Structure formats: C-alpha cells, structure tokens
Amino acid sequence: MRKKLLGLVLIFVSGISYAQQDAQFTQYMYNTITINPAYAGSRVAMSIFALHRSQWVGMDGAPVTNTVSIHTPIRNSNLGIGVSILNDRIGPSDENDIAVDLSYTIPMSETYKLSFGIKGSANLLDVDFTKLKAYRPGDPRFQNNIDNKFSPNIGAGIYLHSDKTYFGLSIPKFLETKHFDGTATNDTPDYIIRERIHYYFIAGHVFDLNDDVQFKPSLLTKMVQGAPLQVDLSGNFLINQKFTAGVSYRWSAAVSAMVGFKVSDSWFIGYSYDFDTTSLADYNSGSHEIFLRYELFTKEDNIITPRFF
C-alpha cells in the first residue's frame, strides 16, 4: 500500500508542477464534443451522453472521471450547440469543468461538410494537500489548499466529415491558466499547477466489409508541453447495426477492448477495459469505462443508416 501511495504522489506532484493534463478517455470517439467543439450537432439528432471512468483501479487516489454532455443541430440552420459537464478527481484534487460549444457547418461537396466550432468553459479546481503524505512537511508549496479556483477558458476546432470519413483538429483550451498557491518565496515558484495547451488531431474511416459488418479504424493524437506525445489507435466492428466490438492501443501506455450494444434506435450502451503496458501494471488492476448514449430523433431525422461516429 505504501508503494501504491508513494507512486501516486510522485505522479501527481510531477504532473501539477509542469503540465495539467486534460481528462483522458479511451472511448473518446463516442464523446468527441469534449475535445472538439466543431462536432456539436454533427449527429443530426439530439445526442445525450454519459460516461464513467475508473482509472488504475486498486491504487489509492487514482483518477475517477465522470462526464455528461448534450448536443444538437439547430433546425433550419447550419448551427449546432452543445453543453458538457465534467468532474475529474485524482489524489487530493477535485476538478469540475462546464463547457458550452457552438458549431457552424459549411457543405464542401455532395459528400463532405466542414464544421467550425468554438468552446467556452469554466473550471473550478479544489486541491486538499492534507490528503498527501508530503516528503517535506514544511514545504511552502503544500501549506495552503486551493479552494474553488475559478478559471475561464476558450477553445476552437475544425471538423471535416462525410458519412464514412472524418478528420478533426482542435485546441479545447487556449489559455494557459496558472493556479497560485499564495506562498511564493524566492526559492519556490509562485504557482504549482499550470494548464498547458493541448493539441488534438482525430481521424477515422468506415469500411463496409459486407452488408452486415462495418469496420472503423480511428486515430487520436494529443500533444502537450511537458508530456509525451499520446497516440491512440483503435479498430471497431459494427455488426448488424447492433453490436460493436473493438480493440485499441495507446502508444507505450495501454491496450484496451470494448463492447457495445444498440438497445434501440435511441439507446446505446458500452463498456471498455484498459490494461496498462507500463510498470504501473504492477500496482493496479486496469481501468474501466462504461458509457450510455441516448438520441432523440424527430420525424425529419434519417435513422435508416445510423452513423458509426
């Protein structure tokens, strides 16, 4: 147990000293609005999504993330709008993020559309340093807690898509917010947490293998100063427009498997499991995600050939 706690403290302290990472999802492709505001309204119908992620199960203070989002196209316009709420807890920190997304879509051809999006967000951060077992109890950086630190932000993205293919570039947060601890001295910095700019690129394509089976390979890359380049590769199969199964690989970090089932035209439920490929695998029993999507269709919505992304 002491090794688990020590390892987590080291991860947390190194993370908050140099780069504050965005919340991480393995099944990001089912909640793309979180990382790219241009996705808002792209699914034609109103889409409501909820996800729970428990990361590194078995480690004290390991990350736990919950998110809920809703987005929809605005009828008789090229606009889409969305709202998302995210709670991310790791060790002594508890972070809440509320975001509003607005997109505008331009037809590029009979096949492709190009969407532009902007994101406005508000972040509330709490850090209770009394939950840490500090190596140096008198360290001034850990004397004062952070209570409901409010940080506004703005982001943007573009999303090129057809019924079979998509590409996206986005920066969810442009502002590099610094969280001050109020105990700065000449020997210590005047902040301990700094949110760096995250750059995202996503891409995917749907192949029709036969009348009953579709295959979708997809890619996500994330770049942020102070952290290694993250590359996620995944491949999902959709069978009879009902059952989904797939695997993914996070470069030098984890492998995962997922299953999903379309209960009805409106309801979809899924589950995925991550297995660490790093030394952290010795101290946890993997990561779990469970998610649920509900889509509200109208008479004008076309659900004959549902979207696979």
Side-chain angles (χ1 to χ4, degrees):
M1 184 65 67
R2 292 183 64 186
K3 288 184 177 179
K4 294 180 181 180
L5 182 58
L6 177 59
L8 184 60
V9 169
L10 291 175
I11 293 168
F12 179 79
V13 172
S14 63
I16 63 176
S17 297
Y18 300 101
Q20 175 79 359
Q21 287 281 340
D22 285 349
Q24 177 174 276
F25 305 103
T26 297
Q27 302 303 318
Y28 66 90
M29 67 285 291
Y30 292 99
N31 194 29
T32 307
I33 191 174
T34 302
I35 60 176
N36 193 330
Y39 187 79
S42 66
R43 290 192 57 81
V44 181
M46 176 181 289
S47 183
I48 303 171
F49 182 87
L51 179 146
H52 169 81
R53 176 178 174 85
S54 294
Q55 187 169 331
W56 302 334
V57 173
M59 292 184 67
D60 294 337
V64 176
T65 305
N66 293 286
T67 182
V68 177
S69 66
I70 178 172
H71 66 101
T72 182
I74 298 177
R75 298 294 175 185
N76 303 315
S77 75
N78 293 329
L79 296 173
I81 190 170
V83 177
S84 60
I85 302 173
L86 183 146
N87 174 260
D88 194 29
R89 303 193 306 274
I90 174 172
S93 72
D94 190 337
E95 189 171 8
N96 291 285
D97 199 86
I98 302 173
V100 177
D101 302 280
L102 182 67
S103 70
Y104 184 81
T105 300
I106 301 173
M108 301 294 290
S109 67
E110 294 183 358
T111 304
Y112 281 91
K113 298 178 181 179
L114 181 62
S115 300
F116 300 89
I118 57 173
K119 178 188 291 287
S121 61
N123 181 275
L124 290 173
L125 175 67
D126 288 303
V127 181
D128 183 359
F129 292 112
T130 63
K131 295 181 179 180
L132 286 176
K133 185 177 181 180
Y135 179 71
R136 291 185 297 175
D139 192 326
R141 293 175 295 180
F142 303 107
Q143 297 307 304
N144 294 336
N145 292 335
I146 297 175
D147 297 314
N148 288 319
K149 171 63 177 179
F150 173 75
S151 304
N153 220 310
I154 188 169
I158 58 175
Y159 184 62
L160 177 67
H161 57 101
S162 69
D163 289 338
K164 297 290 185 181
T165 306
Y166 66 90
F167 300 92
L169 285 169
S170 60
I171 301 176
K173 296 178 180 179
F174 281 112
L175 304 180
E176 293 191 332
T177 304
K178 298 177 181 179
H179 301 288
F180 293 83
D181 68 355
T183 61
T185 68
N186 292 332
D187 299 324
T188 62
D190 59 356
Y191 64 90
I192 55 174
I193 301 178
R194 180 173 182 175
E195 296 187 12
R196 301 287 189 178
I197 295 177
H198 292 62
Y199 303 87
Y200 290 89
F201 172 74
I202 58 174
H205 181 77
V206 178
F207 295 93
D208 294 318
L209 301 185
N210 56 46
D211 291 340
D212 299 321
V213 180
Q214 293 177 298
F215 173 61
K216 185 193 70 175
S218 57
L219 165 73
L220 175 144
T221 61
K222 179 172 71 174
M223 295 187 299
V224 56
Q225 182 182 353
L229 174 69
Q230 179 180 313
V231 179
D232 285 29
L233 300 171
S234 64
N236 288 352
F237 292 89
L238 177 62
I239 303 170
N240 293 324
Q241 298 292 336
K242 289 288 186 180
F243 180 73
T244 302
V247 295
S248 62
Y249 174 64
R250 181 171 299 120
W251 195 267
S252 299
V255 294
S256 67
M258 72 83 63
V259 292
F261 184 72
K262 190 173 184 181
V263 181
S264 67
D265 287 335
S266 295
W267 289 99
F268 179 82
I269 187 170
Y271 167 80
S272 71
Y273 173 79
D274 295 7
F275 175 80
D276 276 289
T277 58
T278 69
S279 57
L280 280 176
D282 297 331
Y283 305 103
N284 74 86
S285 57
S287 303
H288 304 267
E289 286 185 3
I290 185 168
F291 53 94
L292 182 68
R293 184 176 67 203
Y294 174 76
E295 295 188 312
L296 181 62
F297 295 97
T298 67
K299 293 181 179 180
E300 292 78 18
D301 295 329
N302 181 8
I303 59 173
I304 298 176
T305 55
R307 286 273 300 277
F308 196 11
F309 56 87

